Amino acid sequence: MAFLSAAVTLAAAVLANAESTFSPARPPALPLAVRSPYLNTNQAAGSDGGNGGYLAGEWPSFWNGAITGWTGFIRVDNTTYTWMGSPLPLPQVVDQTSYEYTSTRSTFELQAGPVTMDVIFLSPVTPDDLTAQSFPITFVSVAVSSSDGGEHDVQLYTDVSAEWASGDRSKVAQWEYGTTESNVAYHKFWRQDQEEFIEDNQQAAWGFWYYATADGEGLTHQSGADTDVRDQFTSNGLLENTEDTNYRAINDAYPVFGFAKDLGSVGSDSVETVFTINIAQDNTVQYRDGNGVESIPSYWTNTYQDYESALDSFYGQYQDVSSQTADLDSRVASDSTAAGGDDYLTLTSLAVRQAWAALAVSGTPDEPLIFLKEISSNGDIQTVDVIFPTFPIILYFNPDWLKLLLDPIVRYQETGLFTQGAFALHDLGVFPKATEAGPEQQPVEECGNMIIMALAYAQRTGDTGYLTEHYNLLNQYTGYLVNDSLYPDNQISTDDFAGSLANQTNLALKGMIGIKAMSMIAQMTGNADDSSNYANIAESYIAQWQDLGIAQDANPPHTTLSYGDNSSHGLLYNLYSDALLETHLVPTSVYEMQSNFYPTVANKYGVPLDTRHGYTKNDWEMFCAAIAAPDTQALFISDIADFINQTPSNGPVTDLSETDTADYANGIRFMARPVVGGWFSLLALNQTGIPEGNTS
């Protein structure tokens, strides 16, 4: 694996005459196995280190860029081609003719001499099935057919390396080979020294990895040093059915775990082979509440007694899963194009796997919980202001899951464990340990977020009992907003990387909408006096806010970044919650004003977040787009689609980028974050565009 750069150079030369199409775009990294915080492997494509989006000629990598070795060969009439990875020596590379992504699939069409390969990486998203979503697995379908009308002798090969088992390549890996009761053949491998709830360079230090396929005639297997196993196949077209028992460091003669499948004589009828890659962990996170620190089980362990029976079942469900996820893909495609056109589908279909892969579905049927990792920015768990931009996609697919994300936060605060103040916490620690609230404080931000999300959940599900159960805590948050929303103290907001600031116009608006949301919660729970009081406060504040936070004399007028700084501006993304909750707090004129203003400050790849920097946050851009006039909405969407297709960045798509270059923002390498769920902002609304009849 150490010869990556040389292999990429060689592959680039081999691929010089091959051109692939990319549909609906060529993202900065092509999602391959993107299913959980730890099953999260992509193919770098952007020009900053990627190879342009080709499956062969470059190693797949974990979201942070660490190689997760994954190789594919095919022998056609005794000629070997590489269809995945970048092994040395590198057999000639297949021609990639097309790449397409949908919400759950990445599909490559490859040409290996006279044979066509259709390779599909399917990472299921199952928003109505906690058990299925909790078992991180990706299916790889390789379908082979003759493209010249003749019959061809074909053998297929693939392997994965022990690099998947730990981010510390000096750690010793161990492995074994076996078959399940239903004849699923598997390589099982793991970090020999298991450390539960510990990460090695963001990869899990615990859990067991499985690379599997159907056992049967023509299948051979082998584990061993990468060059030995691969040479065996390229020389002979089959493997030796042997196991290397020299357990060793991952970077010591890199151990790989290979399968070879003799497909025999292949004609025009397609021959499909399905492989799976998965990680199995008994427990997903540690969590602390009034009962102390507990290990929270992976939800699938409620159904399956061991790893192999789970693998057996999920492998056997491939056809059903393929059909169900195709329906999900179609639904997202239909809804997205209807709401925002083809460019909008470019965004939403790329966001699905990335957003869902940050979730760890855990607990028991009586007490299910979902934990979220703030991937790449700082690794926190249950970060409130990361859940908030993510939650439009949750509302779209299954609003019941929003409660499961909020429950760990609410339980922690209601047991009195949070002692920093009367406001909402920022996070519960660093993933996978939700045991102690972190020191970062965003008091107005998080209080507003929690109230808004609680009301959104109840509105979409009808579960007003949830609001009654947690009324005291929500009321506590609201008291903080009453005291600090009209004139917010010098503090950070969710855009903490931009620095702290007093009297932030956008932050103040979130607090005011939160107060009005609490008025609605009070009305829904029979607290009429609170409802009237909070409504009056919110109405008073929004009237004053329009004088404090709008540059009325500007041409065109717009809201400011902070009160009184009329030369400043920023994305007024917190306005989105007024439309989402239908609080009718903010006058329609404010929506119209901002919609008219944004195109006047747009750059090539978007509207800057604010006047302090040239970068933008595309999740917040989509919050603004959802509540803008059609032309402004289309501008936001097309700029983000162009960014996706043209960014030189080469990691899983970032939400923070420069508006003039489309590259990472000022050296801040956000990537793979679930906040791209905010791209579903249009689909989470009952009605997109500028609301009519808001007269406050």
Side-chain angles (χ1 to χ4, degrees):
M1 309 302 171
F3 304 104
L4 173 63
S5 59
V8 169
T9 302
L10 179 57
V14 174
L15 287 166
N17 296 319
E19 291 188 10
S20 175
T21 61
F22 295 90
S23 178
R26 188 238 64 195
L30 316 184
L32 300 181
V34 179
R35 194 61 168 68
S36 76
Y38 301 131
L39 180 57
N40 207 310
T41 284
N42 301 264
Q43 188 82 344
S47 60
D48 185 17
N51 73 350
Y54 291 84
L55 185 58
E58 179 164 7
W59 287 119
S61 56
F62 192 57
W63 65 258
N64 65 358
I67 293 171
T68 41
W70 205 352
T71 301
F73 295 145
I74 186 169
R75 273 170 54 110
V76 181
D77 300 329
N78 295 319
T79 298
T80 302
Y81 302 83
T82 303
W83 60 268
M84 178 167 58
S86 188
L88 287 179
L90 182 73
Q92 64 181 301
V93 173
V94 297
D95 284 338
Q96 180 175 310
T97 56
S98 70
Y99 167 77
E100 179 183 12
Y101 67 82
T102 62
S103 293
T104 63
R105 290 166 167 77
S106 287
T107 301
F108 298 83
E109 184 173 290
L110 312 171
Q111 195 68 34
V115 163
T116 298
M117 304 177 67
D118 291 306
V119 181
I120 300 173
F121 295 82
L122 169 60
S123 295
V125 172
T126 58
D128 296 317
D129 188 335
L130 290 168
T131 300
Q133 192 62 47
S134 71
F135 191 76
I137 188 168
T138 289
F139 300 87
V140 185
S141 165
V142 183
V144 180
S145 61
S146 170
S147 56
D148 66 357
E151 299 278 332
H152 299 280
D153 189 40
V154 178
Q155 295 83 39
L156 187 66
Y157 171 89
T158 181
D159 71 51
V160 294
S161 78
E163 289 161 303
W164 293 71
S166 172
D168 182 349
R169 306 312 197 222
S170 69
K171 296 298 183 183
V172 174
Q174 189 170 335
W175 52 86
E176 63 184 41
Y177 182 83
T179 56
T180 69
E181 290 184 0
S182 299
N183 292 319
V184 176
Y186 62 83
H187 290 283
K188 177 181 180 181
F189 58 101
W190 61 95
R191 184 186 191 264
Q192 189 177 71
D193 180 18
Q194 294 272 294
E195 292 187 85
E196 194 171 41
F197 310 126
I198 297 295
E199 292 183 340
D200 297 330
N201 190 25
Q202 303 296 321
Q203 293 179 239
W206 84 105
F208 298 86
W209 289 88
Y210 288 80
Y211 198 41
T213 191
D215 199 10
E217 184 179 354
L219 182 73
T220 54
H221 69 272
Q222 188 173 336
S223 60
D226 52 356
T227 53
D228 294 345
V229 177
R230 293 165 189 160
D231 286 350
Q232 167 64 28
F233 176 79
T234 57
S235 299
N236 302 290
L238 77 169
L239 298 178
E240 295 183 326
N241 290 330
T242 58
E243 295 181 61
D244 181 351
T245 56
N246 177 26
Y247 308 133
R248 56 188 180 273
I250 292 167
N251 58 9
D252 179 7
Y254 288 94
V256 301
F257 314 104
F259 289 112
K261 178 72 172 179
D262 187 351
L263 304 183
S265 182
V266 174
S268 57
D269 291 337
S270 181
V271 180
E272 182 184 36
T273 307
V274 176
F275 303 92
T276 57
I277 179 78
N278 75 275
I279 181 174
Q281 297 168 309
D282 289 319
N283 300 308
T284 53
V285 302
Q286 274 186 332
Y287 177 61
R288 180 187 179 201
D289 62 8
N291 297 318
V293 176
E294 301 175 271
S295 298
I296 307 299
S298 301
Y299 195 84
W300 63 267
T301 61
N302 297 294
T303 302
Y304 300 101
Q305 63 182 0
D306 56 47
Y307 307 139
E308 286 77 28
S309 62
L311 172 62
D312 217 6
S313 176
F314 283 105
Y315 187 92
Q317 295 174 36
Y318 170 68
Q319 293 299 335
D320 289 341
V321 169
S322 181
S323 176
Q324 291 163 6
T325 53
D327 290 343
L328 183 146
D329 292 347
S330 296
R331 174 191 168 193
V332 173
S334 176
D335 291 348
S336 297
T337 53
D342 290 341
D343 277 347
Y344 188 45
L345 178 58
T346 299
L347 277 62
T348 55
S349 55
L350 184 61
V352 174
R353 278 171 286 179
Q354 181 165 315
W356 236 250
L359 306 182
V361 179
S362 316
T364 65
D366 291 334
E367 198 169 48
L369 297 169
I370 297 178
F371 293 90
L372 177 145
K373 180 174 182 177
E374 183 184 340
I375 294 177
S376 80
S377 39
N378 64 5
D380 284 350
I381 186 169
Q382 238 55 12
T383 310
V384 176
D385 61 291
V386 172
I387 296 173
F388 182 76
T390 304
F391 94 112
I393 198 172
I394 305 295
L395 291 181
Y396 173 76
F397 279 118
N398 188 345
D400 286 324
W401 284 28
L402 182 55
K403 173 185 179 294
L404 306 185
L405 281 162
L406 298 181
D407 275 352
I409 300 164
V410 171
R411 280 172 49 183
Y412 184 92
Q413 282 213 254
E414 288 181 339
T415 56
L417 293 170
F418 183 69
T419 59
Q420 297 176 25
F423 46 83
L425 57 80
H426 173 265
D427 62 78
L428 285 175
V430 178
F431 195 92
K433 295 181 178 181
T435 55
E436 185 174 1
E440 185 169 333
Q441 296 179 1
Q442 299 179 12
V444 172
E445 177 76 44
E446 310 302 25
C447 286
N449 289 339
M450 289 297 292
I451 296 167
I452 290 165
M453 289 191 288
L455 178 55
Y457 161 73
Q459 287 178 331
R460 297 304 174 92
T461 64
D463 183 9
T464 57
Y466 182 81
L467 302 179
T468 300
E469 181 183 359
H470 303 298
Y471 189 87
N472 289 340
L473 183 61
L474 296 171
N475 200 36
Q476 174 184 310
Y477 295 157
T478 309
Y480 191 92
L481 295 180
V482 169
N483 291 329
D484 201 37
S485 286
L486 182 57
Y487 293 97
D489 289 338
N490 190 352
Q491 61 192 277
I492 56 174
S493 69
T494 181
D495 305 315
D496 50 2
F497 48 84
S500 65
L501 193 65
N503 298 325
Q504 296 180 55
T505 304
N506 185 49
L507 182 61
L509 181 61
K510 172 166 283 181
M512 295 170 195
I513 294 171
I515 296 169
K516 182 60 183 292
M518 190 63 200
S519 170
M520 298 168 69
I521 290 171
Q523 186 65 38
M524 294 166 70
T525 55
N527 294 279
D529 289 345
D530 283 352
S531 178
S532 177
N533 180 43
Y534 289 139
N536 289 335
I537 292 171
E539 297 288 348
S540 172
Y541 282 7
I542 199 67
Q544 297 174 72
W545 176 86
Q546 292 174 75
D547 292 330
L548 293 166
I550 296 179
Q552 302 283 5
D553 296 332
N555 184 22
H558 55 81
T559 55
T560 60
L561 172 61
S562 60
Y563 294 165
D565 187 359
N566 287 357
S567 63
S568 68
H569 58 79
L571 294 172
L572 194 70
Y573 53 81
N574 283 326
L575 184 59
Y576 176 77
S577 296
D578 179 63
L580 180 73
L581 303 177
E582 299 181 5
T583 62
H584 304 294
L585 178 67
V586 186
T588 297
S589 59
V590 174
Y591 288 83
E592 294 170 338
M593 175 185 68
Q594 290 301 110
S595 181
N596 292 334
F597 172 70
Y598 292 134
T600 70
V601 290
N603 291 330
K604 182 176 182 180
Y605 296 108
V607 177
L609 177 63
D610 61 51
T611 40
R612 290 175 291 184
H613 303 278
Y615 54 61
T616 194
K617 287 280 272 88
N618 51 47
D619 50 347
W620 300 143
E621 285 190 291
M622 285 308 304
F623 273 46
C624 295
I627 53 173
D631 288 350
T632 301
Q633 182 181 104
L635 172 69
F636 275 118
I637 292 172
S638 64
D639 284 353
I640 298 172
D642 287 344
F643 152 75
I644 289 170
N645 210 29
Q646 298 171 25
T647 175
S649 63
N650 67 347
V653 66
T654 183
D655 54 287
L656 179 65
S657 60
E658 297 290 347
T659 56
D660 56 350
T661 66
D663 208 345
Y664 291 116
N666 196 29
I668 306 172
R669 297 175 67 88
F670 285 1
M671 63 184 78
R673 283 163 37 101
V675 300
V676 295
W679 295 355
F680 274 70
S681 56
L682 274 68
L683 299 182
L685 287 177
N686 291 325
Q687 178 65 51
T688 60
I690 297 173
E692 297 180 0
N694 283 18
T695 58
S696 294

